[in-house]
Amino acid sequence: MSEIRETTTIDEVEVAPSAPLISLGELLAGIGFLAYHGTRLAVKGTCLAGSLAYKGGRALASEIASARAGRLAVSGIAPLVSSSDNAREALRALATTNGFEIPKAESERLKARIESLVSTNDKLGITSLATELIRSRQERLKTSLLTLTAEACGEIGFSGQALRVEHGVLVAKSADGRRTITVAVDKTKEGDVKLHFDADGFHGGA
């Protein structure tokens, strides 16, 4: 028998530090495509994940929800790029859209790629690049969610966790082996993630 339970209790969560991230706006400012300070203000929400990665800070659920609401989905990339006059303007439009974070370690490689796309006015290439950035962010989010879920399971006494990041699946068992929690993180077509949760061996509201 299955139970559906709801909670209105939202706790702050500790976000584990990861590789430093920068926004697309900051990257473009570094190669003279945008005025940095103006861009930074325009994409205020873009670097939520980046700032958390830098600081290992505490993320409130409301901040996360706000950032998600403003992010560009995969299906929104092509219309935005095609409506731009050229590749440079398409990049400017993308830079003022929430959700484009780049690992700092990859910035030099991406700078060279962007300069090439702009010099050839390759709007199709800009579309591909933006899609790749969203998919990369999606993969980072999947990995982070699995890690945080594994930590949460440990805090409630579920050990012997089998974490298969490549498949997006976490299996955690209670100390007596009688109860199992299975969490799967799926990547959506639009570039987000969703959680599937299943519990076995729980009785009487445990």
Side-chain angles (χ1 to χ4, degrees), residues 63-83:
E63 292 178 85
I64 296 171
S66 175
R68 284 185 66 186
R71 287 200 305 233
L72 186 67
V74 170
S75 62
I77 296 173
L80 186 151
V81 173
S82 63
S83 65

Side-chain angles (χ1 to χ4, degrees), residues 142 145-154 156-175 177-185 195-202:
K142 184 191 81 170
L145 277 175
L146 283 169
T147 301
L148 288 171
T149 303
E151 291 173 0
C153 286
I156 61 172
F158 280 70
S159 57
Q161 298 160 359
L163 182 61
R164 298 189 290 278
V165 173
E166 67 275 17
H167 300 302
V169 178
L170 166 70
V171 180
K173 290 185 176 293
S174 60
R178 295 179 181 177
R179 291 173 294 168
T180 303
I181 294 174
T182 303
V183 179
V185 181
L195 285 171
H196 300 280
F197 177 88
D198 186 49
D200 185 59
F202 292 81

Side-chain angles (χ1 to χ4, degrees), residues 31-178:
I31 51 181
F33 285 1
L34 291 167
Y36 174 70
H37 294 292
T39 302
R40 193 178 189 187
L41 291 173
V43 292
K44 184 178 179 182
T46 300
C47 275
L48 174 64
S51 62
L52 293 173
Y54 278 127
K55 301 173 185 176
R58 301 181 71 82
L60 292 173
S62 59
E63 292 178 85
I64 296 171
S66 175
R68 284 185 66 186
R71 287 200 305 233
L72 186 67
V74 170
S75 62
I77 296 173
L80 186 151
V81 173
S82 63
S83 65
S84 301
D85 292 337
N86 52 52
R88 185 184 295 267
E89 290 306 313
L91 277 168
R92 289 178 185 272
L94 289 168
T96 57
T97 304
N98 193 8
F100 288 97
E101 300 94 17
I102 298 161
K104 197 171 183 180
E106 297 179 20
S107 60
E108 291 304 317
R109 178 183 64 81
L110 286 172
K111 281 181 183 178
R113 183 177 172 186
I114 286 171
E115 288 175 331
S116 175
L117 292 172
V118 169
S119 67
T120 57
N121 195 29
D122 187 354
K123 290 171 68 175
L124 184 59
I126 297 296
T127 300
S128 297
L129 173 63
T131 302
E132 289 172 25
L133 293 179
I134 287 182
R135 294 301 182 198
S136 294
R137 179 196 70 203
Q138 188 180 34
E139 187 65 31
R140 291 194 301 271
L141 184 55
K142 184 191 81 170
T143 302
S144 296
L145 277 175
L146 283 169
T147 301
L148 288 171
T149 303
E151 291 173 0
C153 286
E155 289 177 3
I156 61 172
F158 280 70
S159 57
Q161 298 160 359
L163 182 61
R164 298 189 290 278
V165 173
E166 67 275 17
H167 300 302
V169 178
L170 166 70
V171 180
K173 290 185 176 293
S174 60
D176 59 12
R178 295 179 181 177

